[in-house]
Amino acid sequence: MEAWKKDYLDVLLVPFGLLFMFGYHLFLLYRYLKCPHTTDIGYENHNKRAWVARMLQVDIKERGPAVSVISSNISAATALTSISLVLSSLIGAWIGSTKMNLFTGGYIYGSISPSIVYIKYISLLSCFLVAFACFFQTTRHFVHASFLISMPNSDVPVSCVQREVIKGSNFWLIGIRSLYFATNLLLWVFGPIPMFICSVIMVGVLFNFDRNTTPLHQYKPIGRNELSNIDVKKAAAIKADENLLEAQTN
């Protein structure tokens, strides 16, 4: 009877833990679609759209900070892509090996049958592969946004750059959430009870992190006076370059 309880803990606690995580993320998606200002995701995307609109209104020579910001995001996404790929390779090699007795001892309070052990590792591998694909797509969209922002002498639509930045941010978010799920499944290796406890704690922590109580700031576009000041500075810089060239020629 005791062996039956231990074996079926995986059948009871693991699905409940995963449903708890999936249910929370469905609730978060519903809040983001219906009331985006109440979520931290909607708050960040609102600021990113305003940032892109502001950056595209300045001269091409003054967009260096924008390119630097996107480059830092590309570097972070590339690093997480490499980490996810390495972990996926290690787990795949571990599954392919015949020595998988490390986490099948009697101290694991749960099922230690070979089929359950393989399901644990395959589930963990799937999460890291999803994270790898999402971080790779993040890099692709941010690279495209960097090209659009740094394109000289071209009237690039603001919506095009905003779409690339928001898509890259969304793929980044999905990749991070996949790592959260991978953390839960990693604890499942030590038994279904740590996995279920981790699911409950993580949902509570994410609920506090994902909600937003700060009102959305209504950004104002660059006014005519600011645009005229930018044009004056641009004309002054061009005039200075012409005077310097003329002095060198003489």
Side-chain angles (χ1 to χ4, degrees):
M1 189 67 178
E2 180 67 23
W4 182 87
K5 290 182 179 179
K6 287 181 60 175
D7 290 344
Y8 280 87
L9 274 177
D10 295 82
V11 180
L12 295 175
L13 294 182
V14 174
F16 276 115
L18 292 178
L19 285 176
F20 199 49
M21 287 284 292
F22 277 114
Y24 166 74
H25 283 90
L26 289 177
F27 170 71
L28 177 63
L29 179 61
Y30 174 80
R31 284 178 56 197
Y32 173 70
L33 295 176
K34 296 297 182 180
C35 304
H37 62 279
T38 62
T39 64
D40 191 64
I41 304 171
Y43 178 77
E44 291 181 356
N45 288 344
H46 172 76
N47 293 330
K48 289 173 183 177
R49 291 188 182 96
W51 175 78
V52 171
R54 189 81 177 184
M55 280 299 169
L56 290 181
Q57 287 179 336
V58 301
D59 187 70
I60 183 65
K61 297 181 180 179
E62 300 179 4
R63 297 181 188 175
V67 178
S68 300
V69 169
I70 294 181
S71 298
S72 63
N73 283 276
I74 293 174
S75 301
T78 304
L80 289 176
T81 302
S82 303
I83 293 173
S84 300
L85 183 61
V86 170
L87 292 176
S88 300
S89 302
L90 290 176
I91 295 173
W94 183 264
I95 294 175
S97 65
T98 56
K99 299 179 180 180
M100 296 182 61
N101 301 322
L102 181 60
F103 297 106
T104 58
Y107 55 90
I108 303 296
Y109 196 80
S111 178
I112 56 175
S113 63
S115 59
I116 295 295
V117 173
Y118 274 104
I119 291 175
K120 291 178 181 180
Y121 286 107
I122 291 175
S123 302
L124 189 60
L125 175 62
S126 302
C127 287
F128 282 119
L129 288 177
V130 171
F132 164 75
C134 290
F135 290 132
F136 186 83
Q137 292 297 318
T138 299
T139 304
R140 184 176 73 88
H141 285 291
F142 279 146
V143 167
H144 191 201
S146 179
F147 272 110
L148 293 177
I149 289 180
S150 59
M151 186 180 299
N153 301 324
S154 178
D155 186 15
V156 180
V158 176
S159 59
C160 292
V161 186
Q162 287 177 338
R163 182 172 62 250
E164 294 300 322
V165 172
I166 296 301
K167 279 186 177 181
S169 301
N170 290 338
F171 276 112
W172 169 273
L173 179 65
I174 298 174
I176 291 295
R177 301 290 162 154
S178 299
L179 295 182
Y180 292 160
F181 275 94
T183 303
N184 283 349
L185 295 174
L186 180 62
L187 289 180
W188 186 22
V189 174
F190 300 95
I193 297 178
M195 183 268 180
F196 181 76
I197 295 175
C198 179
S199 299
V200 175
I201 295 176
M202 186 170 292
V203 167
V205 173
L206 290 178
F207 180 79
N208 290 326
F209 285 166
D210 291 333
R211 66 177 181 175
N212 174 54
T213 57
T214 305
L216 298 181
H217 180 71
Q218 302 302 321
Y219 293 93
K220 296 180 180 179
I222 299 179
R224 293 183 178 180
N225 294 333
E226 295 180 74
L227 288 174
S228 61
N229 292 335
I230 293 175
D231 293 337
V232 169
K233 292 180 182 179
K234 187 192 305 183
I238 294 175
K239 185 65 176 178
D241 292 340
E242 292 178 353
N243 293 337
L244 180 62
L245 181 62
E246 183 178 355
Q248 290 178 352
T249 321
N250 294 335

